[in-house]
Structure formats: C-alpha cells, structure tokens
C-alpha cells in the first residue's frame, strides 16, 4: 500500500527536506555537505555567541526554520524522530563556532542529551568553548528525581528566540546560557492529539486512536500521553492542558507569552478557535498575554493535535522576545 | 575462542539478525517509546555492512572500534551513543589483538556495560538494555567459574539475557523514553534489552 | 460519531476563529461586531487606496491572516467554503474605505463574484469609489468563453502582496488595480490532494479517495480536479502540476516568485521535499526563482495536498514583492 | 389564489422542506460542487424562520422582500444572491398587495428568472436552477392558456420543474462551480435546480 505522503524514497526524506529548505532561501541559508545541517550563510561576528540546536526530524519548521539572524546559527537534524549523532552535531558546531563560544540547545530526551553531550565534550576537547542547556517544558510528564524528567517540547522555541536575541545583542556565553535557563525555568507546555502521525520509515501510524478518542499529554514523537479519553470540545481540551500548566507554575499577575502550536495536520482554523478560548481563560485568571504565537512551530509530522506553551516574562525576556528575528518560520507581527 | 576472521563472520551474522528483527524491535518500541528502535539499529548495522570490506585482516580492536564509531554516527537516538560507545570502548581493550578468548570477551562486556552506565546512568531494574546485559554478564562469569566450556558459557549468557529482557515487562522504566509512560509500560518488553539479547544469541550460536 | 476536530459548536466555528485571530494580535487587528470581518486597527491614511478581500472560511490563514500594513485592510470571511454576503462585504468596505478608493480582490467563483459585485454596486451607490479584480490562476480548469473561467486559488496572495504594497506606496486606485491585474495576468497555479477535507457543518469528508489515489487539479474547496490517479512520488506529482503551469505561460528566461502552498494538513516536511525538486526543475528550464514561499497560505481546512504557484516578475513586481508587509501570516525572510 | 396569511403559511412549509432536504441537497452538491448547497439554503431559511413573527399582517410584497433580503445576507455562495435577488425583485412586483392570483404568481416567477439571469448570466441548458425554473414557467403559462385551474397550473409547473431538474443530469454545466468538472458532471442532478423544484412543489401542494 502506498503511504499517503508527498515523498520520494523514504531514506531520502531528511536529505531532500533540508535541501528543499536551503533552496527556498539560497541567500540566507546553506545546507552542509556532511549530514542534514542547516546554517546561516552570513556568519556571526566572532565576538558573538553562536547557537546550535537540533534533534530528530519531523518537527518542521523546528529547528532549521529558526536558523537566521536573532535565533539559531545552525540546526542539526537527525533522521525522523531520532536524535542526530555526535559527529553531525560537532560538524554543526564547527560550521558556526565563534570565539565567544557556542550554546547548544537540547530537548530533554535521553538520546538527544547523550548525543549533544558527547559532541560538546569533543568540541571542548578541541578548544571550542561549548555549553548546553536542556529544555523540559512538558508538564504532561511528572518530574521526579527517579526519572529522566520532563520532555522538551514547543517551549524550546522561546529559548531559541530569547537566547538568540541575547547572543545577537552581544551577551557573553554565560549570559546567553543564563537567559536560556531563565526561559527553561519559566516555560511550561502540554499537548493533546486526535490523529496519530506516520513516520515515513515505519509506513504506518505510530499509535492508534479510536474514532472518538484523543490522547492527552501526547509527546511530540507521538509518545503515549497521560491518558486517553473521549474527544471533548476545543475549549474543554484546552482547559485540561491549561489546568496542568497553571498548576505547575503560578502565572497569576504575570505577563506571559503564549504559543498555540499545531502538530502538523491541525488547521489554523482550529488553532485560532483554541486561542479564542485560552485568551479568555487567561484574562479571567489575571494573566496578561504580552505576545501570542499561533501556528505550526514544533510539529509531529502529520499528527493532528496542538500544544499550549506559557512563558512567564520579565522585562529582559520581553525585550528579547520583541527583538528582530529574521528566520524562515519565526514571525513577529506588529513589533 | 575466536580469531579476527571469526569476529567478522559474527558481525555479518549480527547485521543480518538485526535486519531480520527490525520490524519486531520497532514494534516493541511502539507502546513505550517512539517506534524506531529497529529502524535505528538496522540503519546503523547496514552502515557497518558497508564498512566490512575495509575490515578484512584488521585486528579485533580495530573491528570493534569501527563498529562502534559507525553505530555512534549512524544510529542516533538513545541506542546509538550507548551501543556506539560500548563497542568503541570494548575495541580499546582489544587493541592490536587478533585472537579473543572467553575472558577477553567478558572483559569486553564489562567495559561495554561500564560505558553504557557512564553515559546512560541506568542501574539494573530501570527497564533498559542494562537489564539484559548485567544478568548475562553475571551468568557467564558464574559459568566460567564452574568450568563450563566457551559454548556453554555463551549459551548461559544468552539465556540470561533473554530472561532479563523478558523480566523488563515487570519493571516500570525510569530511564529513557519508556519512563514517560510510567506504569503504562508494564507488560511491555524493552526494545534495547531485546536487541542486546539477539546480539548475544548470535554470538553464542556462532562461536 | 464525534468529528475529529478541535472545535466547539459547528455553527460557532467562523465566529470563534476570527475572534481567536483578533485576540492573538489585539494591537494590530480588530474583528467587527457585524459578521466575521477582520480589519487593521491602525487605519490607512485617507489618500491611500484600501484593499478588501475575502471569501468563504476554511482557507486560513487566507484571507484574514494577510490583513496588516502592506497587504489587506480588511478581510471578509463567509461561512466555511461559502462566499460572504453583500451586506458583510459592504460592512468591511465601510470600515476601511478611504478617499483614494477601495480595491476588492475577488477569487473567481460564481458566488464570490456575484456577492462582491453586489457589494461594489452598493458602495458605489453610496459614493465610495470601489473597483474589483478577479483572480483566476488555477490552470487545472480550462479557460474558455463558454464557462465561468479558471478558479482563483493560492496565486491570489501575490495580488494581496503586490497591490497592497502599491497602495501603501501611494498608488492611485487605477494604479493599484493595474498592479493587481498584472499579477493576475502573470500568475498560474495548480494543486493536488491525497486526503479530503471535512467541512465542519458537513461532518464528513467532502469527497473520498482510495488508499492509493490522489486527485490532480483539486480545487481549494475540495472540488473534483482534472483526474484521479494512483499516488505518485512527490517529484512526479510536482512535475504534473508544473507541466500544466508551464504550458500555460512561458516563464523561460524570466524571474519568478514560487509558492509551494500546503492545503492545511500537509506537513512542512513534504512541502520542503516538493520545493527541493521544483527548484531543480525550474533551474534546468532557465527559470530563475527570485523568491520562494513555502508554507500554508491558502488552505482547504484539513485537506492533505499542495499547490504550486508561479508569478512572472518584472522590476515593479519585484520591488512590490520585497516591500515590507507586516501581517500575521506573510513572512518575508531576508529581504 | 392566496392571501397574505396563506403566503406566510407556505413560507413556513418551504422552510420546513428545505430543512428536511438539507442533507440531500448537500449530497447533490458533492460530486459537482463543494457540498454545501443544502447547508447554505437551510442556513438562510432558518434565518427567515426567525423573521416570521415580524411578518404577521404584512403585505405580500414586504414578505417576499424580507425573505429575499434574508437569503441575500445569510446564504452566501452562488445561491444566496440568486435566490435573494429573485425574492426581492418579486417582492417589488407585489408591493402593497395582500392577495395574489395565478397571474401575479407568474409575474413573480418571470421577475425572479430575470433577476437570476441578470446576475448569473445562465441560459437554459447550462445545468443550473434556470433549467428547472424556465420549463416550470413555460408549463404553467401553457396551463393557464388552456384554462386549467390554479391547482392544476401549479402542479404542471412542479412537474415541469422536476423534469427540468432531472434533465440537468444530461447537461454539461457551463456556469457555477459545476462547470469545473465538465463532462464528469454528467449523470449528476443540479442542486439548485432541485432546491427550486422543492420550493415549487411545496407551493403547488399548499395552494
Ligand atoms: N539511560 C539508558 N541507559 C541504558 N539504556 C537506555 C537508556 N535509555 C534508553 N536506553 C535503551 O535504548 C532503547 C531505546 O533505543 P531507541 O529506540 O533506538 O532510542 P530512542 O529512545 O532515542 O528512540 C531502550 O529500549 C533502552 O533499552
Ligand atoms: N450563474 C448561475 N446562474 C444560475 N444558477 C446558478 C449559477 N451558478 C450557480 N447556480 C446555482 O447555484 C447552485 C449552487 O449553489 P450553492 O452550492 O449554494 O453555491 P456555491 O456554488 O457557491 O457553493 C447550483 O446548483 C446552480 O443551480
Ligand atoms: Mg527515537
Ligand atoms: Mg525509540
Ligand atoms: Mg459554496
Ligand atoms: Mg455549493
């Protein structure tokens, strides 16, 4: 049976996709010959910190769509849903490293953490000042000292944005890392899905959902969530996620950035409907939304689902969030 | 126990076995992970396959190191660095050697376990490949002490690995992607423990 | 059976969606009380031409996502897949009209054309200088004097962009209309789909496709296309569309803008893969791509499909294409 | 033939009929259009329903005009302005009148056809609602000429409308959304011709 995807050969998906992105913006982006790595074409000044992120493919536009001025310098893509390997990450570091140092932004998955840490070790061995942060914003997964902790999901993009702006503004490696950590400490996310995703190499959906079921707390790789239940309305579903997020951090009286993120196959129509409700709920709770981002930022191939992310802001983060970012997929409207 | 040529033969057999069990290993990764363990392992070992011609006549250390580096740079995910560093570190122990006896093999396995634990920080009982590796290692050491021949030692190891893999069904994972599902992971066998069991099984059947 | 959508009540979809968009950008956009109409909050100077477009809902981000500086002044949304009514269009005109006049950008569907023309007539009766253009870029449908002509699809967005820039630059109503017509004369599109879309009010897919079938030449409302065939690779499918487009206008030796547009449920992964091939083909044919746009611009709710649009550029259109546009969904990267 | 009160009764029946046939009309719009004709019409007539209380005691012209304006502002798509202007223009002809005879009715229908053709530019044979309206109009005129009573006239009209709707199956559409499918539209009945036939049927059954 033919898979219902516009692809060519399964084993060429990652290569062709990164090529296709680079070809869309030939003056701004380049794809390295080694691996599926996208870099800024205009390299950063040597006295500014470079940012490298990455992870498995399948989350487009993350992460390569956020390469550009004010965000990432390089994005290293693994095969679909699989962390890139240390040699590829090191290659990305090599391509954009500066004297000011390199910050690696890693999502908290065992594979990602190990591969990035190995690359970091090799980079440091070569004398490249390299540090990393680990994003873990998904409140669906309990954080306990006996487990690997929460997963990194869509909130990671706020790290790219704020730490990227800090680096562009000339922050030191320590300062840029501190901003990244501040975002991590203040951002929480959770998602739900109604239709599964199909990894091209697998050829069939990674999980199954009955016609009237949804998975609450779904991971961005289609990992099972917190529980399964009957489909609810958009508003009720948003409430479930929001309740979990708000229980984890008290946002009351704070200004926040809100991201209503689509999983890849969710129409903007639905994301706007969700946003309509979330804005009302936050308002009623005394949480002021400083900026809203609605769209596909951290997807799960062709999964139909969405996640909500809330970032608690202070003056520094507000300034960094509003700073210019010129990348394929980050859109600041009206800043 | 085995010479350089035999090691290459066994590597070929492992490559074939992983390819054969690719779908099964991927299926095991579905309920508790992200449905890719078989795909990952097969991608890595297919790449090892390409390196085979260049390994003709090389010492066992070089062979293991090449296997490790290839897995490290082609598998990705959690299993890539784990298996990658396991083979690489074992390769260091066998540097320059063209013959390997059962004690060398156990040294390699000890080294591999150490490498995996250094990176992954998993202990026995966390429902990972460690739960196949450690019991296998212990069973083989016991067999050696009791004077069993190489074949019997490896068979004891393989049996213990499979028992360990089976036992992961009763464990709640606290490491790796499987830890996200918590109790929902009960009843499901760990894919990494399973892939290790296949590898040891192939070795025991071919020595 | 529950529909697999994140919505609340079917009859509230259009209202909640436009509310949700306006709430995402409270400083930039407002939703009118009458109907589902989105307008710029900062009204244009009286000596600049205002642009009003619209059509049925279900094509998000079109058209409301293109309201903002340098593009549309108002977007009037009908119910899903149904043209807005004359009174609503007139309301949109009222909200943004200027002394310089109003250009209506209409997609060529009998319903849209009639409703917009009726509104135009009413506006002109009230003394509001109003003209309209009709986009008809879809080469899937034969253009003959015996039929209603080609359909307006994703190429319409290049009208919003170029005519919007011309208006922002102070062009007269005639000049802005002339730019819009120039885009219409030089843009061609065609699409294909592998999975149907579900209109919320219908509750089930508007058409059916077998597991190994695709519809070539599909319309943006899920209207049947040119023919149905077995699914092909991404490259082969892109070739079919491209051949039809290139047969209609000779782009050889010209510079073009390319849009690789997703239908709503198509992952960016696939759009990039398609772009990878289209860029190669255009290059081999001596067609230079001046700018590329890859993403969801004119969707069909949750249809999985894509369209290609090619706009032949001259110096004026290049300048207008690159001019600043600050809207939720238009993203110029690296201009 | 009918007074103001009867007109309101018939409008109520039309509202009910359209609601009843909503799914069927939408289904007809699927193979050749965009699956919304029934949804569009029902949305419009439900809105007319809300206006009914305000129409009590109004003259027939006002009633028809209100129905037309409501359809115009609530249906959208192609059928909205077409049916909208048809009722509105017919309303102009009946301005101030509280009684309507068969000739008035035919004047209204002539006016409606004219309004629809002015907007939509469709001739007979292009597979639109016109292909039900014109034959119905002609059949009723012939029946009046032959001296048939009102009931018989309307029945002849209804029969001719349905025959016209049926006949759209043999036509290749050249107007409206159905024109995009060309020959593939053969065998499919036009939704607008069908909705008109239901409306005339309701009138003929209730006068
Ligand atoms: N911290 C760890 N220590 C040891 N083994 C681990 C650890 N984390 C994961 N694993 C092993 O890796 C396997 C999963 O590998 P794979 O599916 O290829 O990677 P990923 O989880 O990144 O998708 C698990 O079944 C488990 O045996
Ligand atoms: N130009 C036209 N003249 C007369 N009737 C038309 C014309 N175009 C469309 N129609 C009628 O409108 C009907 C479709 O209405 P509807 O589905 O509600 O609108 P849309 O086509 O905009 O979705 C067709 O079945 C046809 O009878
Ligand atoms: Mg994985
Ligand atoms: Mg896995
Ligand atoms: Mg319609
Ligand atoms: Mg229709």
């Amino acid at each position: 049976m033919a898979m219902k995807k516009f692809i060519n050969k399964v084993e060429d998906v990652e290569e062709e996709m990164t090529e296709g992105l680079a070809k869309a913006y030939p003056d701004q982006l380049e794809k390295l010959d080694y691996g599926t790595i996208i870099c800024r074409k205009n390299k950063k000044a040597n006295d500014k910190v470079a940012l490298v992120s990455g992870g498995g493919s399948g989350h487009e536009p993350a992460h390569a769509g956020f390469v550009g001025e004010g965000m990432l310098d390089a994005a290293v893509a693994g095969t679909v849903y699989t962390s890139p390997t240390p040699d590829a990450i090191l290659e990305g570091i090599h391509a954009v490293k500066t004297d000011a140092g390199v910050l690696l932004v890693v999502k908290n998955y065992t594979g990602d953490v190990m591969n990035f840490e190995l690359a970091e070790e090799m980079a440091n061995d070569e004398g490249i000042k390299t540090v990393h942060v680990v994003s873990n914003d998904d409140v669906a997964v309990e954080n306990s000292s006996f487990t690997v902790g929460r997963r990194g999901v869509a909130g990671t993009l706020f790290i790219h944005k704020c730490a990227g702006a800090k680096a562009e503004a000339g922050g030191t490696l320590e300062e840029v890392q501190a901003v990244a950590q501040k975002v991590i400490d203040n951002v929480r996310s959770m998602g739900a899905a109604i239709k599964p995703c199909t990894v091209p190499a697998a050829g069939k959906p990674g999980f199954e959902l009955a016609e009237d079921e949804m998975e609450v707390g779904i991971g961005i790789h289609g990992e099972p969530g917190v529980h399964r239940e009957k489909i609810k309305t958009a508003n009720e579903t948003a409430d479930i996620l929001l309740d979990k997020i708000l229980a984890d951090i008290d946002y009351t009286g704070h200004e926040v950035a809100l991201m209503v993120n689509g999983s890849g196959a969710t129409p903007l129509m639905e994301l706007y409907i969700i946003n309509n409700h979330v804005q009302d709920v936050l308002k009623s709770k005394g949480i002021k939304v400083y900026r809203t981002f609605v769209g596909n930022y951290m997807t799960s191939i062709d999964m139909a689902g969405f996640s909500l992310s809330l970032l608690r802001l202070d003056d520094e983060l507000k300034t960094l969030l509003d700073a210019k970012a010129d990348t394929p997929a980050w859109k600041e409207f009206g800043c | 126990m085995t010479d350089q040529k035999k090691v290459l033969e066994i590597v070929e057999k492992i490559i074939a076995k992983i390819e054969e069990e690719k779908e099964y290993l991927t299926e095991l990764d579905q309920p508790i992970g992200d449905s890719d363990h078989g795909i990952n392992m097969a991608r890595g070992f297919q790449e090892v396959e390409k390196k085979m011609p260049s390994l003709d006549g090389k010492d066992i250390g070089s062979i293991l190191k090449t296997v490790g580096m290839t897995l490290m740079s082609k598998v990705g995910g959690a299993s890539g660095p784990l298996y990658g560093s396991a083979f690489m570190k074992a390769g260091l122990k066998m540097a320059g050697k063209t013959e390997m006896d059962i004690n060398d093999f156990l040294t390699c396995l000890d080294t591999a376990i150490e490498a995996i634990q250094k990176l992954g920080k998993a202990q026995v009982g966390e429902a990972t490949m460690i739960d196949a590796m450690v019991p296998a290692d212990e069973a083989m050491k016991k067999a050696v002490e009791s004077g069993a021949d190489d074949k019997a030692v490896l068979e004891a190891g393989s049996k213990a690995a499979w028992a360990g893999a089976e036992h992961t069904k009763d464990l709640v994972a606290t490491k790796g992607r499987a830890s996200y599902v918590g109790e929902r992971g009960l009843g499901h066998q760990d894919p990494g423990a399973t892939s290790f069991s296949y590898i040891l099984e192939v070795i025991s059947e071919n020595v």
Side-chain angles (χ1 to χ4, degrees), chain A, chain B:
Chain A
M1 191 204 76
M3 213 185 318
K4 285 240 154 170
K5 285 183 187 292
F6 293 113
I7 59 172
N8 297 299
K9 279 195 280 163
V10 163
E11 54 275 30
D12 296 337
V13 161
E14 296 85 358
E15 182 75 15
E16 290 183 2
M17 161 169 66
T18 32
E19 282 281 9
L21 172 61
K23 284 178 192 165
Y25 310 102
D27 298 333
Q28 288 78 30
L29 300 181
E30 64 176 335
K31 178 188 170 297
L32 300 185
D33 289 335
Y34 187 99
T36 44
I37 305 168
I38 295 285
C39 298
R40 281 173 66 170
K41 224 167 187 174
N42 292 317
K43 293 286 141 47
K44 231 176 205 162
N46 225 340
D47 58 350
K48 291 184 177 178
V49 172
L51 271 79
V52 175
S53 189
S57 290
H59 306 302
E60 296 68 33
H63 293 275
F66 302 105
V67 172
E69 198 191 325
M71 293 187 79
L72 301 178
D73 293 273
V76 184
T79 52
V80 173
Y81 286 178
T82 302
S83 161
T85 57
D87 53 314
I89 299 166
L90 186 61
E91 188 79 7
I93 295 173
H94 282 163
V96 300
K97 69 175 161 33
T98 63
D99 291 348
V102 179
L103 174 71
L104 306 178
V105 182
V106 187
K107 297 192 297 298
N108 190 30
Y109 299 96
T110 303
D112 290 68
V113 172
M114 288 192 302
N115 284 289
F116 273 85
E117 279 181 354
L118 284 166
E120 177 182 345
E121 206 179 300
M122 295 189 258
N124 280 319
D125 285 351
E126 293 177 14
I128 306 168
K129 255 200 296 178
T130 311
V131 297
H132 76 276
V133 292
V134 179
S135 74
N136 62 354
D137 48 316
D138 189 352
V139 296
V141 173
E142 290 309 326
N143 195 6
S144 108
S145 49
F146 300 109
T147 72
V148 295
R150 295 186 309 243
R151 302 176 290 215
V153 292
T156 309
L157 301 177
F158 287 126
I159 308 179
H160 297 350
K161 180 65 189 72
C162 296
K166 187 74 185 179
E168 210 70 64
T172 64
L173 185 55
E174 292 66 34
E175 287 167 347
V176 173
Q177 188 181 17
V179 162
Q181 193 56 51
K182 193 198 273 185
V183 172
I184 293 168
D185 295 342
N186 286 284
V187 67
R188 295 295 183 271
S189 307
M190 188 162 157
I194 45 179
K195 289 181 201 160
C197 49
T198 299
V199 172
K204 56 174 204 275
F207 57 101
E208 295 199 358
L209 279 173
E211 265 312 306
D212 60 350
E213 270 181 351
M214 67 176 175
E215 181 88 23
V216 175
I218 190 99
I220 56 169
H221 309 92
E223 302 101 320
V226 177
H227 65 273
R228 219 163 253 213
E229 58 177 285
K230 294 269 174 245
I231 281 192
K232 291 206 154 61
T233 65
N235 291 0
E236 287 164 345
T237 310
D239 283 340
I240 296 173
L241 307 187
L242 216 43
D243 283 350
K244 268 277 223 179
I245 291 172
L246 298 179
D248 206 82
I249 288 194
D250 185 10
Y251 292 87
T252 317
H254 288 273
E255 288 188 84
V256 299
L258 165 68
M259 182 176 280
V260 180
N261 172 59
S263 303
T266 312
L268 213 40
M269 168 191 276
E270 298 173 30
L271 299 182
Y272 286 139
I273 289 174
I274 292 159
N275 182 55
N276 180 50
H277 179 67
V278 172
Q279 297 279 349
D280 291 350
V281 174
L282 293 179
K283 197 171 188 179
S284 77
K285 293 196 189 286
I287 299 167
K288 181 162 185 295
V289 180
Y290 178 73
R291 289 233 168 273
T292 304
F293 301 85
V294 183
N296 289 320
Y297 289 88
M298 176 77 83
T299 63
S300 303
I301 318 179
D302 52 358
M303 187 159 89
F306 73 99
S307 66
L308 300 176
S309 299
L310 281 185
L311 169 63
R312 190 165 49 182
L313 297 169
D314 61 9
D315 287 341
E316 182 185 31
L317 290 182
K318 276 159 69 174
T319 307
L320 294 169
L321 198 61
D322 287 350
K324 184 186 170 191
D326 194 22
T327 75
W330 192 265
K331 176 77 192 124
E332 294 271 349
F333 169 45
C335 288
Chain B
M1 165 183 151
T2 173
D3 60 6
Q4 173 276 344
K5 223 177 126 202
K6 186 97 209 161
V7 168
L8 284 180
E9 266 175 52
I10 293 176
V11 172
E12 281 286 14
K13 294 247 157 74
I14 293 174
I15 295 170
K17 181 56 116 190
I18 293 292
E19 190 63 26
E20 216 177 293
E21 303 299 339
K22 175 176 162 177
E23 293 220 348
Y24 173 59
L25 292 172
T26 300
E27 263 163 39
L28 287 179
D29 199 23
Q30 196 238 298
I32 54 165
D34 58 349
S35 319
D36 65 359
H37 185 60
I39 299 170
N40 292 344
M41 293 293 282
R43 183 176 50 242
F45 276 100
Q46 284 309 307
E47 218 46 46
V48 171
E49 172 74 31
K50 293 186 196 157
K51 301 269 168 73
M52 291 306 283
S54 73
L55 295 177
D56 248 2
K58 291 272 162 68
D59 66 278
I60 297 177
S62 300
I63 295 170
L64 295 180
K65 203 180 142 205
T66 301
V67 170
M69 282 177 55
T70 306
L71 296 181
M72 176 75 92
S73 72
K74 290 296 168 187
V75 174
S79 53
L82 294 173
Y83 275 118
S85 61
F87 278 95
M88 276 162 74
K89 293 282 156 83
L92 287 179
K93 296 279 171 184
M94 296 300 293
K97 297 201 182 173
T98 51
E99 299 269 344
M100 181 184 221
D101 65 18
I102 192 73
N103 285 319
D104 290 329
F105 182 76
L106 288 175
T107 305
C108 282
L109 186 55
D110 282 342
T111 311
I113 292 172
E114 201 181 296
I116 287 172
Q117 290 194 311
K118 191 178 161 229
L119 262 183
K121 319 223 157 51
Q123 302 302 321
V124 169
E126 299 200 85
T128 70
M129 52 177 72
I130 287 294
D131 289 305
M133 297 180 89
V134 169
D137 194 44
E138 285 169 357
M140 289 192 280
K141 281 178 185 157
K142 222 181 254 164
V144 168
E145 271 165 35
S146 74
D149 65 8
D150 290 359
K151 187 83 190 161
V153 170
L154 289 167
E155 267 164 12
S158 172
K159 221 178 120 192
W162 279 117
E166 177 78 29
H167 178 55
T168 59
K169 290 186 187 170
D170 308 326
L171 300 173
V172 174
T174 43
K175 285 286 178 313
R177 210 176 281 279
S179 68
Y180 302 135
V181 296
E183 308 259 316
R184 286 162 91 184
L186 283 174
H188 297 290
Q189 185 168 315
D190 180 64
T194 309
S195 58
F196 173 77
S197 300
Y198 278 124
I199 293 174
L200 190 56
E201 181 182 296
V202 169
I203 296 171
S204 89
E205 281 171 357
N206 290 281
V207 164

